Amino acid sequence: MESDEKGGRVGLRMRKQLLKPIETKKACKKNEGKEMEMVTREEEPLSPAARLFHEPSFNLYIIAIMGCKTQICPQVVKANLVHTLLKHPRFYSLQVGDGEMMRWVATEVEIEKHVIVPEVDPNMDMKSAEEFVEDYVYHLSKTRIDKSQPLWDLHLLNVKTSSESEAVGIFRIHHSLGDGTSLMSLLLACTRQINDPEALPTIPVKNKNKKQQDKERYRGFWNVLMTFWTLLQLFWNTAVDIFMFMATAFFLKDTENPLKGPAGVEFTPRRIVHRTVSLDDIKLVKNAMNATINDVALGMTQAGLSRYLSRIYEKGQTTQKKNNFPKNMRLRSTLLMNLRPTAGIQAFADMMEKDTEAKYGNWIGYVLLPFTVGIRDDPLDYVREAKATVDRKKHSFEAIFTFSIAEIVLKLFGTKVASALSHRIIANTTMCFSNLVGPLEEIGYYGIPMSYLAATSYGQPHALMINFQSYVNKMTTVLSVDEGTIPNPHQLCEDIAESLKLIKDAVVASGLHECQGK
């Protein structure tokens, strides 16, 4: 599900904000040579959602790995951070206090503590360099950032991991600073297009033509009838989803399976691996099956998980079966959605360049996404099933109502009870899945061309998290796994990539892509 799902926006604009964004203003220079003085408004409390991410069982960090086409000059990065990212209050503020008394307090940022440049062997071959970066991130996931400084850091590794990547940058940001979509927008606002150094990256927007065509298709009585049917579906789906949410909070668990982590898995380090495939291949399947990129990403994930699990379930079987999966297997993904409308790249860029306001923060809702696994004769069935699931979720206010329930629990019982509820819901499901939309053009970060983006997180009560991140004509699949549960994450990553190839081949063989082109 995309984090900016339409259903998550309805009705929220009328809500009173839980946390007003920190606002700062700067006094203009009265005379040449005088330093500009910054006047910070009254300290702001952390929102309930931000405090939630400080609970021991819900202490999440976002990791953004950026492949760079040239070597990184640390001095250039440090100098530019001061004029871009450090203009955002969250990145120059401490989180002071405990529990409900936690507040944002502006501080002087010591850039040397936040930009880490480890010593590396310049003679490493590409395979060794790739393993070095993977191990570096693994060991990074064992640590937490000290609260005596703003909760973010940037690691610069000048090692060549592929023919396109001469260096790697790793951003680590505590989840209390914002949700993944907002943080990615903020980071992208620091970049510019390679072909036009003055232009911000372009992010794809949803095509509204289909909705407009539907409105024109149904007029008069049929329009009223379709509206009534849509509302009926909406309320029914929402009621079912709320029931499933409450059942999951109290007793309903996923089937025990090789992807589900044990109790306490949120405290284990994560092995983060990624694999890049062609976004054009995904678009070919999307257009042929009248689906979305998100549908195809979910479909190829279901196919990849089916391949991976089938290989495990076949071991020890005395008879040959097409499907060795447990009967009525329940396997679900938990999706945390920030329902606050994101400010967007342009708003963040204006904030950094012109000191304008950009709203920011966490309004967290839950969506429980059922996954269908099993061996299918037709690989296209995985995409069809995924599309049906996503279409069903689009006609539900599940995220809004789960957000409201979480808000009520926070206000009545406090952060610890809300954290326990969130942890129980996530622990009773198997995994986490997300899809982030990236730039359409090649971008540069402080003048350094980027070759790929790979975003994920660690600290969640899941043994498996799967993220999709698009960039130009590429799609990167990122896995964050607990190795004790999933000892061969590279194989799982390969299974997902191979599934896309099988689905694409099935589309070509069926001629569906030619029919759509006519």
Side-chain angles (χ1 to χ4, degrees), residues 72 116 118 120 132-133 136 155-159 166-170:
I72 302 171
I116 295 95
V120 297
F132 172 81
V133 172
Y136 187 92
H155 302 254
L156 306 178
L157 283 62
N158 279 314
V159 292
E166 295 284 342
V168 175
I170 305 166

Side-chain angles (χ1 to χ4, degrees), residues 18 48 51 100 403-419 421:
L18 293 178
R51 296 199 307 269
E100 295 183 4
F403 163 75
S404 300
I405 292 171
E407 182 183 354
I408 292 171
V409 172
L410 271 169
K411 288 182 176 180
L412 294 180
F413 305 105
T415 306
K416 291 190 179 298
V417 174
S419 173
L421 174 66

Side-chain angles (χ1 to χ4, degrees), residues 234-257:
L234 185 65
F235 286 115
W236 172 254
N237 291 342
T238 301
V240 172
D241 289 339
I242 295 304
F243 173 78
M244 293 299 293
F245 173 82
M246 299 304 296
T248 302
F250 288 105
F251 62 87
L252 188 63
K253 298 181 180 180
D254 279 8
T255 307
E256 290 299 322
N257 64 78

Side-chain angles (χ1 to χ4, degrees), residues 125-417:
D125 57 44
M126 286 192 293
K127 188 176 187 306
S128 299
E130 189 174 2
E131 292 173 353
F132 172 81
V133 172
E134 187 180 304
D135 289 339
Y136 187 92
V137 178
Y138 175 79
H139 290 294
L140 196 64
S141 71
K142 296 179 180 179
T143 65
R144 302 293 184 267
I145 300 174
D146 194 276
K147 288 175 66 176
S148 63
Q149 64 187 56
L151 299 182
W152 67 273
D153 54 26
L154 172 61
H155 302 254
L156 306 178
L157 283 62
N158 279 314
V159 292
K160 183 173 182 176
T161 56
S162 71
S163 59
E164 291 189 344
S165 295
E166 295 284 342
V168 175
I170 305 166
F171 258 114
R172 178 172 60 159
I173 305 170
H174 194 265
H175 216 314
S176 61
L177 271 67
D179 70 293
T181 302
S182 296
L183 288 172
M184 184 59 70
S185 295
L186 179 60
L187 294 179
L188 290 177
C190 299
T191 69
R192 294 297 183 270
Q193 297 180 25
I194 293 297
N195 294 332
D196 186 356
E198 298 298 320
L200 288 166
T202 305
I203 301 297
V205 295
K206 290 185 177 181
N207 189 352
K208 298 182 180 180
N209 290 340
K210 185 177 184 299
K211 291 184 179 180
Q212 187 64 34
Q213 290 172 2
D214 288 343
K215 286 183 179 180
E216 294 177 356
R217 185 182 306 168
Y218 301 108
R219 296 180 181 277
F221 171 76
W222 290 110
N223 186 32
V224 173
L225 187 62
M226 288 304 300
T227 300
F228 174 76
W229 175 246
T230 300
L231 289 173
L232 188 63
Q233 279 185 312
L234 185 65
F235 286 115
W236 172 254
N237 291 342
T238 301
V240 172
D241 289 339
I242 295 304
F243 173 78
M244 293 299 293
F245 173 82
M246 299 304 296
T248 302
F250 288 105
F251 62 87
L252 188 63
K253 298 181 180 180
D254 279 8
T255 307
E256 290 299 322
N257 64 78
L259 303 176
K260 199 170 187 301
V265 72
E266 61 270 23
F267 302 112
T268 63
R270 296 306 159 106
R271 178 68 62 179
I272 295 174
V273 301
H274 55 86
R275 170 76 185 272
T276 299
V277 297
S278 169
L279 184 58
D280 291 335
D281 288 349
I282 293 177
K283 288 180 178 179
L284 184 145
V285 177
K286 171 187 84 77
N287 294 333
M289 302 192 68
N290 192 28
T292 66
I293 288 177
N294 201 59
D295 296 337
V296 180
L298 181 58
M300 60 188 278
T301 300
Q302 292 186 157
L305 294 178
S306 298
R307 288 166 60 89
Y308 181 83
L309 290 172
S310 177
R311 196 179 296 113
I312 295 174
Y313 285 131
E314 281 177 1
K315 293 180 180 179
Q317 294 288 337
T318 56
T319 59
Q320 291 291 331
K321 293 182 180 179
K322 179 182 174 181
N323 273 308
N324 296 295
F325 295 84
K327 291 184 178 179
N328 302 318
M329 183 176 182
R330 182 186 300 110
L331 193 158
R332 295 172 295 171
S333 166
T334 304
L335 180 63
L336 297 181
M337 294 177 57
N338 184 21
L339 304 180
R340 183 192 293 274
T342 183
I345 293 177
Q346 185 62 57
F348 285 128
D350 290 343
M351 178 204 68
M352 292 184 285
E353 293 178 4
K354 305 173 184 177
D355 297 323
T356 57
E357 179 184 331
K359 294 184 179 181
Y360 199 74
N362 287 297
W363 274 1
I364 301 299
Y366 301 84
V367 171
L368 301 181
L369 194 65
F371 272 55
T372 305
V373 292
I375 302 302
R376 305 285 184 264
D377 291 326
D378 184 359
L380 301 184
D381 285 343
Y382 293 109
V383 179
R384 295 186 184 106
E385 291 165 350
K387 177 175 169 54
T389 299
V390 173
D391 287 347
R392 155 71 175 74
K393 287 293 180 179
K394 287 177 181 177
H395 290 85
S396 172
F397 286 146
E398 178 180 8
I400 296 176
F401 275 86
T402 55
F403 163 75
S404 300
I405 292 171
E407 182 183 354
I408 292 171
V409 172
L410 271 169
K411 288 182 176 180
L412 294 180
F413 305 105
T415 306
K416 291 190 179 298
V417 174

